[in-house]
Amino acid sequence: MSVRDEILRANDAYAASFGDKATLALPPARGFAILTCMDARLDPAKYAGLAEGDAHVIRNAGGRASDDAIRSLVISYKLLGTAEWFVVHHTDCGMEFFTNDVIRGLLAQSLDTAELGPDGFTDVGSGPGSDAADDIDFLTIADTEGAVVEDVERIRNHPLVPSRIPVHGFVYDVRSGRLVEVAT
Amino acid sequence: MSVRDEILRANDAYAASFGDKATLALPPARGFAILTCMDARLDPAKYAGLAEGDAHVIRNAGGRASDDAIRSLVISYKLLGTAEWFVVHHTDCGMEFFTNDVIRGLLAQSLDTAELGPDGFTDVGSGPGSDAADDIDFLTIADTEGAVVEDVERIRNHPLVPSRIPVHGFVYDVRSGRLVEVAT
């Protein structure tokens, strides 16, 4: 079965038992937002105990406080009333295994998937690649806890973020499922 | 109990039954990524049938193909091997209820949460506001299906995205829980 068909079959089962979720309101019922990584091992609804309707969830590579994450957070509080935010990065994040120079070099060689070996990523594809990544900051991470603190500070100090909103910083441990607070 | 404490209590329970999820690998086991909206009513793991470890999940206001979403998708395929992508917007999206001019005007008035009435959003806060939003494109949505098609096309045509990656477009119906395909 194709991935598309697997998703549609799972969705059929979900919709069949949708129940009273049809009446959920647009603004998050519990009034908060979580910014976290796209990593496949993370399920914020499970690790933080969210039901549908509870909270905004923003995810990108690294869970970084990118301009786009801040766009989303501003909409979240200004129009939809969230009043508390959580930044959650995690251990063993792929963003720690490369730099801007590395991924730009790999993309310049080919648009195939690179291989990760003991010496880092190696391009095994055939060209052409693209130099369109040369202007992209991939927001890689050199220090797990430090990146959370940096992102919490960036959000707190943004001119569109009111000082009344608490911004908490956590690292999720992918080996234990546990949240560890690193910025309060 | 504070929201922070509620999250930590839920996390304790999750970690206590973490089991063999400790051995999950970094690359997504099912090799795909979903780009969807931060909306609180959407749980992509539930509506698409994802277990921890299965797929990358990228979320922002609207589920838009922003530069940051494309940064995440490029990392997803180039370094972590995803080979198929799904863009999922939804009905009753908050991004349909305002424009750049509206939110910029509201933010210029105050950094308090606006009220949504029959005539749209009204600012009820006291200043000062900020004009820092004047240069931000909030990526609002005028046409639900059209925005999905636009985002699928933007991703497909991006110079860093290889043509071999299928990009599917869906609208999730918040009243039924059902995915409706709008771009194939």
Side-chain angles (χ1 to χ4, degrees):
Chain A
M1 194 184 293
S2 72
V3 165
R4 176 186 162 281
D5 290 347
E6 287 172 359
I7 287 175
L8 288 176
R9 187 153 81 167
N11 180 249
D12 273 344
Y14 181 66
S17 59
F18 198 59
D20 62 3
K21 289 191 280 289
T23 61
L24 289 172
L26 170 57
R30 291 173 63 197
F32 65 92
I34 295 180
L35 167 61
T36 196
C37 185
M38 71 177 178
D39 189 286
R41 296 165 294 182
L42 274 56
D43 185 337
K46 288 186 179 163
Y47 76 56
L50 310 180
E52 291 95 322
D54 277 355
H56 283 146
V57 180
I58 301 157
R59 301 181 67 172
N60 63 35
R64 303 307 310 264
S66 60
D67 289 349
D68 196 54
I70 287 174
R71 171 184 72 87
S72 300
L73 288 168
V74 169
I75 292 167
S76 177
Y77 91 81
K78 182 68 193 178
L79 303 184
L80 296 167
T82 63
E84 191 160 5
W85 297 339
F86 298 82
V87 176
V88 184
H89 296 183
H90 63 98
T91 60
D92 194 41
C93 184
M95 302 299 285
E96 297 174 0
F97 302 145
F98 66 102
T99 62
N100 276 331
D101 284 346
V102 165
I103 191 167
R104 288 172 185 158
L106 292 168
L107 288 161
Q109 285 185 58
S110 86
L111 300 185
D112 291 322
T113 295
E115 279 187 0
L116 180 57
D119 297 324
F121 288 99
T122 310
D123 209 283
V124 293
S126 54
S130 167
D131 62 2
D134 291 358
D135 298 325
I136 298 177
D137 183 349
F138 285 90
L139 306 176
T140 60
I141 293 175
D143 166 21
T144 310
E145 294 190 13
V148 176
V149 172
E150 184 184 314
D151 283 354
V152 165
E153 288 302 313
R154 181 169 193 238
I155 293 167
R156 283 182 182 151
N157 295 326
H158 195 280
L160 294 172
V161 173
S163 58
R164 72 176 180 278
I165 297 184
V167 187
H168 309 277
F170 288 86
V171 172
Y172 173 87
D173 184 334
V174 297
R175 299 295 165 227
S176 69
R178 200 164 285 284
L179 291 169
V180 178
E181 196 158 25
V182 296
T184 54
Chain B
M1 194 184 294
S2 70
V3 165
R4 175 187 163 281
D5 290 346
E6 288 171 358
I7 287 175
L8 288 177
R9 188 154 79 169
N11 180 248
D12 274 344
Y14 181 66
S17 59
F18 199 59
D20 61 4
K21 288 191 281 291
T23 62
L24 288 172
L26 170 56
R30 291 172 63 196
F32 66 91
I34 294 180
L35 167 61
T36 195
C37 185
M38 70 176 179
D39 189 286
R41 295 165 294 182
L42 274 56
D43 185 337
K46 288 186 179 164
Y47 76 57
L50 310 181
E52 291 95 322
D54 277 355
H56 284 146
V57 180
I58 301 156
R59 302 181 67 173
N60 62 36
R64 303 308 310 265
S66 61
D67 289 348
D68 195 54
I70 287 174
R71 171 185 72 88
S72 300
L73 288 169
V74 169
I75 292 167
S76 177
Y77 91 81
K78 182 68 192 178
L79 302 183
L80 297 167
T82 62
E84 191 159 6
W85 297 340
F86 298 82
V87 177
V88 184
H89 296 182
H90 63 98
T91 59
D92 194 40
C93 185
M95 304 298 286
E96 297 174 1
F97 302 145
F98 65 102
T99 63
N100 276 332
D101 284 346
V102 165
I103 191 167
R104 288 171 185 158
L106 292 167
L107 288 161
Q109 286 185 57
S110 86
L111 300 186
D112 291 322
T113 296
E115 277 186 3
L116 181 57
D119 297 324
F121 289 100
T122 310
D123 209 284
V124 293
S126 54
S130 168
D131 62 3
D134 290 357
D135 297 326
I136 297 177
D137 183 348
F138 285 90
L139 306 177
T140 60
I141 293 175
D143 166 21
T144 310
E145 293 189 13
V148 176
V149 172
E150 184 184 315
D151 283 355
V152 165
E153 288 302 314
R154 180 166 195 239
I155 293 167
R156 283 182 181 150
N157 294 326
H158 194 281
L160 293 172
V161 172
S163 58
R164 70 176 182 279
I165 297 184
V167 187
H168 310 276
F170 288 86
V171 172
Y172 172 87
D173 185 334
V174 297
R175 300 293 166 228
S176 68
R178 200 164 285 284
L179 290 170
V180 178
E181 196 158 25
V182 296
T184 54

